[in-house]
Amino acid sequence: MKQNKNRCLVIVFTIGICAFNSCSEDDAVDEAIDNCTEQIWYQDLDQDGFGNPNSFEQSCTQPVGYILNNSDFDDNDATTYPGAEEICNDFIDNNGNGEIDECSLLNQISGSWIDNFNGVHTITNTSITTSTNSNAIYLYHILETESNYVICLNDLNNPFNAGLYSKFVFTNISTNMFNLCQSFYDSPSQAFIENATDTTNPGDLDTGCGGFSWSLMTRN
Ligand SMILES: [Ca+2]
Ligand SMILES: [Ca+2]
Ligand SMILES: [Ca+2]
Ligand SMILES: [Ca+2]
């Protein structure tokens, strides 16, 4: 914590001495006193625009590195402040709501990914598009999102199983990779998948996807 300097009090003290000594203050000092409105300025060490409530100075003018805001709860990390976007998988409570990495599934897996067979997968909030290494393109419309899977309607133009329903299960999600298993691909309805037993096994990446291996997806 920095020790504050009360500049106004210094000026007043100086004037007091001058009055005692019958000296006269010039107009500039009088004006400085009149215009001095002190404020409390808070240090913003990480420069995220939010100040440290425990480190402040009182001054008429803004000290370098100090701001009026005092709501930063970690002034050594520019990714943390009230209202910050929660960054997934960094093990930090970025927005200070008491929850660490509270990210939705789609928040974590949105983007472009490439699988271990060179297929490219583009995931948005509403769809999964997969282009295989044989250039076939599959589009799946996301109908339901849970913590580790989505249920989709297969697009009517898909090369196979058009208009039927799929389930994609995700595991080992990190910033730059995850494992994926399409555990259902030709189901007659969304309800059918919801009521069916999913036999995927995230503990067995080699054969835990219906006897096949889970796809390893890395950020494209
Ligand atoms: Ca700050
Ligand atoms: Ca901060
Ligand atoms: Ca949080
Ligand atoms: Ca976080």
Side-chain angles (χ1 to χ4, degrees):
M1 184 179 300
K2 294 214 171 190
Q3 185 65 40
N4 301 326
K5 282 202 168 184
N6 190 320
R7 296 177 187 172
C8 285
L9 285 177
V10 170
I11 294 170
V12 170
F13 181 69
T14 302
I15 292 171
I17 293 174
C18 288
F20 182 77
N21 292 332
S22 300
C23 64
S24 61
E25 282 299 317
D26 61 28
D27 292 342
V29 174
D30 287 339
E31 189 175 339
I33 295 168
D34 292 343
N35 293 337
C36 176
T37 302
E38 287 202 326
Q39 289 179 289
I40 299 176
W41 304 88
Y42 299 89
Q43 190 173 26
D44 184 18
L45 193 63
D46 60 13
Q47 298 187 325
D48 59 7
F50 295 80
N52 181 352
N54 298 314
S55 179
F56 53 86
E57 289 193 27
Q58 194 168 345
S59 171
C60 294
T61 56
Q62 181 174 11
V64 174
Y66 285 70
I67 58 177
L68 289 173
N69 180 281
N70 68 349
S71 61
D72 202 352
F73 49 86
D74 182 352
D75 201 34
N76 291 303
D77 185 343
T79 71
T80 63
Y81 51 85
E85 181 181 353
E86 185 66 38
I87 298 172
C88 307
N89 306 313
D90 68 350
F91 308 108
I92 294 171
D93 178 12
N94 307 90
N95 57 12
N97 68 350
E99 296 178 59
I100 295 172
D101 295 353
E102 71 282 16
C103 299
S104 71
L105 175 63
L106 292 177
N107 185 230
Q108 297 180 78
I109 64 174
S110 288
S112 181
W113 305 84
I114 189 162
D115 66 27
N116 43 343
F117 300 102
N118 291 322
V120 176
H121 307 254
T122 302
I123 302 175
T124 71
N125 284 335
T126 58
S127 68
I128 298 174
T129 306
T130 296
S131 56
T132 68
N133 53 9
S134 62
N135 294 322
I137 295 177
Y138 293 81
L139 173 60
Y140 305 92
H141 305 279
I142 297 172
L143 303 175
E144 176 182 339
T145 305
E146 301 296 338
S147 61
N148 68 329
Y149 69 84
V150 295
I151 295 176
C152 300
L153 170 63
N154 304 350
D155 191 80
L156 293 175
N157 291 319
N158 283 5
F160 294 100
N161 303 314
L164 298 178
Y165 294 80
S166 295
K167 179 179 183 179
F168 295 86
V169 186
F170 304 85
T171 190
N172 296 330
I173 301 171
S174 66
T175 304
N176 291 310
M177 62 179 62
F178 60 82
N179 290 100
L180 167 69
C181 175
Q182 187 175 359
S183 59
F184 293 84
Y185 52 89
D186 62 353
S187 296
S189 69
Q190 182 179 355
F192 176 89
I193 294 176
E194 289 170 340
N195 295 321
T197 299
D198 192 317
T199 59
T200 53
N201 179 9
D204 180 1
L205 296 177
D206 292 329
T207 62
C209 180
F212 295 91
S213 63
W214 291 68
S215 297
L216 175 62
M217 315 286 281
T218 54
R219 205 172 276 282
N220 190 12

